[in-house]
Amino acid sequence: MNDGTDYRAILIAGTPLIDVRAPVEFQQGAMPGAINLPLMNDEERAAVGTCYKRQGPEAALELGHQRVSGEIRQQRLDAWREACRQHPQGYLCCARGGQRSHIVQQWLRESGVDYPLIKGGYKALRQAAIVATEEQVQKPIVLIGGCTGNGKTQLVQKQENGVDLEGLAHHRGSSFGRTLEPQLSQASFENLLAVTLLKKAGFTLGTGR
């Protein structure tokens, strides 16, 4: 296992990520396969953030420990422990690899579980995904286009290095609209596309059915 800084290897391997950011952050953008088990829920995060702005980091940290204590802390710790058991090769991840992932890592360690974290957090993975996409799209691309219903998607999917953009986006274009699966956020779609491109040496892009 790498030290949490070989971001491309982590992305290509589909490494499990226990994302401890608040749900609202996770919904705005996440890496493929990440599991959202937050240290603080949205309301708790907002309260701590307000305290940080008004009273400083020490008061905010104290409030955070007050909000996530007792039975709440134990329930979340149990969920993290179970996720670690199910995904022994994974990593903890917060926004920037800061206090939240370190706190969760410490609590896990105190309970007997030693689990690594992503240095730089989601922001570092996100930046690696953006750079990877920029590099990959410099390669020769074959773009499949044409009228609706003429089998473009099937053709793309038959290609060894084909990339079905609408499939990744959970959308079927202007004529047919959404699929049964909910659409990803823009950032999550971009992250998934980056990982898909990294896994393919060359690729054919499909943009419509």
Side-chain angles (χ1 to χ4, degrees), residues 3-209:
D3 64 356
T5 60
D6 190 347
Y7 307 121
R8 289 200 179 192
I10 290 169
L11 294 174
I12 292 171
T15 306
L17 299 173
I18 301 174
D19 192 324
V20 301
R21 294 177 300 154
V24 66
E25 297 172 279
F26 188 82
Q27 292 165 6
Q28 290 169 352
M31 289 297 155
I35 307 165
N36 190 211
L37 294 175
L39 171 61
M40 295 182 290
N41 62 29
D42 294 337
E43 188 275 331
E44 292 160 350
R45 172 178 173 265
V48 170
T50 299
C51 182
Y52 183 93
K53 292 178 181 178
R54 294 178 178 176
Q55 302 180 46
E58 292 185 6
L61 182 60
E62 181 179 354
L63 178 60
H65 281 287
Q66 291 174 3
R67 288 295 192 100
V68 186
S69 61
E71 184 177 348
I72 292 176
R73 170 175 166 168
Q74 188 59 52
Q75 289 175 349
R76 292 176 190 177
L77 179 58
D78 290 344
W80 296 323
R81 285 173 55 86
E82 177 60 19
C84 293
R85 185 191 67 78
Q86 293 183 8
H87 306 285
Q89 304 304 316
Y91 290 83
L92 294 169
C93 179
C94 68
R96 296 179 177 81
Q99 282 195 341
R100 285 183 287 182
S101 56
H102 280 90
I103 288 172
V104 173
Q105 185 182 54
Q106 178 183 339
W107 289 356
L108 281 168
R109 188 174 292 126
E110 291 171 353
S111 74
V113 178
D114 192 12
Y115 208 75
L117 55 80
I118 298 292
K119 295 180 180 178
Y122 170 76
K123 297 292 186 182
L125 289 172
R126 169 75 172 151
Q127 183 60 33
I130 291 171
V131 172
T133 300
E134 291 174 348
E135 292 178 358
Q136 293 299 310
V137 298
Q138 300 305 312
K139 297 179 178 180
I141 297 174
V142 176
L143 181 65
I144 304 299
C147 298
T148 296
N150 66 1
K152 298 185 298 294
T153 297
Q154 290 84 348
L155 176 60
V156 170
Q157 291 176 344
K158 289 180 180 179
Q159 308 307 308
E160 180 179 358
N161 294 314
V163 177
D164 178 8
L165 296 178
E166 289 182 347
L168 295 182
H170 300 165
H171 201 274
R172 296 181 296 179
S174 58
S175 296
F176 296 107
R178 298 180 179 181
T179 66
L180 295 177
E181 296 181 87
Q183 282 189 260
L184 301 175
S185 69
Q186 180 64 31
S188 293
F189 167 74
E190 292 171 359
N191 296 337
L192 178 56
L193 176 60
V195 171
T196 302
L197 295 179
L198 281 172
K199 290 180 178 180
K200 297 176 181 289
F203 46 90
T204 302
L205 292 181
T207 59
R209 282 170 167 75

